[in-house]
Amino acid sequence: MEVIICKTYDAMSRAAAEVVAQVLNEKPNAVLGMATGSTPLGLYQELVRMHREESLDFSQVTTFNLDEYVGLPTTHEQSYHYFMHENFFKHVNIPKQNIHIPSGTTSNYRAFCQWYEKRIDECGGIDVQILGIGSDGHIAFNEPGSSLSSRTRLKTLAKQTIDDNARFFDSREQVPVYAITMGVGTIMEARKLLLLANGAKKAEAVAAAVEGPVSSMVTASALQMHEDATVFADDPAASKLKMREYYEWIQAKKPDAPRV
Ligand code: F6R
């Protein structure tokens, strides 16, 4: 796992956007895995800027979002459909039919989840998956205790996640209790994983994910088993990493490393 510590949230967002842009330059029809929440907003803004100012092209891109709340219509301001449209999709040129977001209002969740997994396969798998991390160490909505082999499914949100996400709703009672989410196993099949974390509230979860034991109690720790996973953390989010100096040393020495 590579750990990149950035001085600011903006620097972190730019560094992660740079990697996504590189993937698109090498493979214009890449399949992108998208995350929602406050963390990737800066990354999306930077990708939109690159699209406008540097002609970064999304016309052949396909996307799959990690998750969606159950029960929220796509027009609800807190639905992830709405979030993605407002913060990213309406600003870039991804063909509408290439966009996939789990349905929070399907009449058959089991069938929908199976279809979603099949659709990812049909599109050739996810090339690069963007991830945030919950303060309980979750990736997507894989709450503590989720199997590290789990697939797309209906999931009951943990109380901690409901508390954390209440800030987006008028009251805690309005936060949906269920979500449909890609599983840890689904995420681990992406060819490249980028996990972003900012703010002191994420410091413990980041330390547990990067340096703790691999455990279903911290589903982000599964990234330790992935062959191409990068963690981008801003200064406060990196503050509890014991090996921080070493990660910074690796980055400082990177330009001089032997080229294979
Ligand atoms: C959202 C998602 C979640 C968030 C996590 C952090 O699609 O998959 O795992 O990434 O809850 O949320 P923020 O970024 O709002 O702190």
Side-chain angles (χ1 to χ4, degrees):
M1 189 188 299
E2 186 171 5
V3 180
I4 298 182
I5 299 167
C6 304
K7 284 211 167 60
T8 63
Y9 173 74
D10 287 350
M12 177 191 83
S13 304
R14 280 195 303 273
E18 204 50 59
V19 177
V20 176
Q22 242 169 37
V23 170
L24 288 183
N25 286 332
E26 280 163 26
K27 186 177 179 186
N29 63 347
V31 178
L32 303 184
M34 317 302 284
T36 55
S38 52
T39 310
L41 279 172
L43 160 64
Y44 294 147
Q45 277 161 15
E46 179 61 8
L47 288 175
V48 169
R49 189 200 62 75
M50 288 170 160
H51 171 65
R52 287 191 180 140
E53 294 174 16
E54 295 164 15
S55 309
L56 183 63
D57 181 32
F58 291 87
S59 65
Q60 299 177 61
V61 163
T62 297
T63 64
F64 285 91
N65 262 80
L66 286 170
D67 40 21
E68 177 59 290
Y69 289 119
V70 164
L72 298 191
T74 57
T75 49
H76 191 290
E77 283 190 20
Q78 295 311 328
S79 77
Y80 289 166
H81 279 77
Y82 188 90
F83 174 100
M84 287 309 299
H85 181 71
E86 287 303 307
N87 293 300
F88 190 56
F89 293 141
K90 80 173 184 192
H91 306 289
V92 294
N93 61 335
I94 303 175
K96 225 175 162 194
Q97 67 275 16
N98 290 7
I99 293 172
H100 304 84
I101 305 178
S103 167
T105 52
T106 172
S107 56
N108 187 336
Y109 283 95
R110 190 183 291 265
F112 181 86
C113 293
Q114 282 170 358
W115 173 82
Y116 204 68
E117 290 274 339
K118 196 166 124 260
R119 192 76 198 115
I120 295 174
D121 264 1
E122 283 168 0
C123 294
I126 294 170
D127 289 297
V128 54
Q129 175 67 57
I130 298 159
L131 297 164
I133 183 170
S135 60
D136 64 1
H138 70 213
I139 44 173
F141 277 135
N142 294 288
E143 301 288 29
S146 295
S147 162
L148 300 185
S149 313
S150 50
R151 312 302 306 190
T152 303
R153 69 208 183 289
L154 194 72
K155 188 76 196 153
T156 310
L157 300 187
K159 285 187 177 159
Q160 175 74 60
T161 301
I162 293 176
D163 287 345
D164 288 349
N165 291 0
R167 69 189 194 280
F168 298 116
F169 292 81
D170 291 337
S171 72
R172 188 184 187 280
E173 287 60 48
Q174 288 177 14
V175 185
V177 172
Y178 306 100
I180 184 165
T181 180
M182 274 192 211
V184 183
T186 321
I187 293 167
M188 289 291 282
E189 281 172 11
R191 286 182 267 282
K192 185 187 266 305
L193 302 180
L194 309 178
L195 184 143
L196 282 71
N198 66 291
K201 272 180 117 174
K202 300 291 174 68
E204 259 172 47
V206 168
V210 175
E211 297 176 339
V214 174
S215 161
S216 62
M217 296 312 288
V218 177
T219 52
S221 66
L223 268 67
Q224 293 178 34
M225 305 288 288
H226 195 279
E227 64 177 355
D228 187 356
T230 307
V231 173
F232 295 86
D234 74 350
D235 209 60
S239 61
K240 298 216 163 141
L241 287 169
K242 290 199 181 75
M243 301 285 287
R244 177 181 177 144
E245 257 184 51
Y246 179 52
Y247 309 135
E248 287 174 333
W249 168 254
I250 293 172
Q251 292 308 312
K253 292 290 157 198
K254 218 174 171 179
D256 304 330
R259 304 263 179 266
V260 201

